[in-house]
Amino acid sequence: MSRELSLQRKYVNSRLICDEALTGSKYLEEILARLTKTFDLLPGLEQQLFFSGNRKIFINIVSDPKLPFGMKTRSITHKSGPRYTIFVCEECGEWPEDRFLGAFLRELGHVVAEIPPEEDWPATRGERARFKESSELLADGMLWKWGLRHYDMSYLVATFPSHWVDRIVSDIEKLLEHDERFKREPTSPSE
């Protein structure tokens, strides 16, 4: 393992929360390797957001939830700034690698974009749904900005019906074209 991957693995291990039931899981080592690889794929500036502590995250690997959900991010407001917990179901270890990487990169996109805690989302059901959809779109846009579109597409194609994927891709393209946050040139992972 290269020195850089070793540092990324150390970071992942320092942020990890794991159900005791996962001790000896056939997926745990695979999940940890994929999480490490995900941080290696991030552009340099985004890596530093995490490694410097400017974005505080925890990664909680959970086994056998009552309702499997893949991955999701929850944020809380803390006096030192927002804190994020990315929940990863053990079942994600069964996913093809590109789908897994796309899903986790999307969750990191939520963190980089500083998606607020759910209690700060709009109150009405329709507004909440629109806010959630725009948050997902923003996370997708982050991956495209980072030059990691193919991972996002692997996740989208494996998760949604093709007509939804077409609409999501169209919406991402509009977002990238019109939103000032995406005007900066993407950075390469080696920077």
Side-chain angles (χ1 to χ4, degrees), residues 68-149:
F69 53 80
M71 298 184 195
K72 66 181 174 185
T73 300
R74 296 281 185 245
S75 63
I76 61 167
T77 304
H78 191 268
K79 62 183 174 189
S80 65
R83 292 193 179 176
Y84 301 88
T85 302
I86 300 173
F87 295 89
V88 179
C89 283
E90 178 189 19
E91 70 176 10
C92 295
E94 297 176 4
W95 292 358
E97 182 178 64
D98 283 357
R99 179 183 180 193
F100 181 99
L101 296 174
F104 194 72
L105 283 162
R106 251 177 138 233
E107 299 307 319
L108 294 178
H110 287 295
V111 176
V112 170
E114 297 185 288
I115 302 302
E118 282 191 38
E119 61 265 13
D120 295 340
W121 290 14
T124 67
R125 190 175 191 175
E127 289 173 345
R128 286 180 75 79
R130 282 186 288 282
F131 185 83
K132 180 173 177 32
E133 184 175 345
S134 70
S135 297
E136 296 297 335
L137 187 61
L138 185 58
D140 289 319
M142 289 290 178
L143 272 70
W144 289 39
K145 174 184 167 185
W146 299 335
L148 301 171
R149 174 186 173 164

Side-chain angles (χ1 to χ4, degrees), residues 2-3 8 12 30 32 57 60 67 82 102 121 139 165 171 191:
S2 72
R3 182 178 184 278
Q8 291 160 352
V12 166
E30 182 71 25
L32 293 175
I57 68 165
N60 189 348
L67 291 172
W121 290 14
V165 173
D171 289 346
E191 287 182 17

Side-chain angles (χ1 to χ4, degrees), residues 51-63:
F51 299 158
S52 68
N54 284 334
R55 293 292 190 282
K56 294 177 178 29
I57 68 165
F58 295 97
I59 304 164
N60 189 348
I61 303 173
V62 296
S63 64

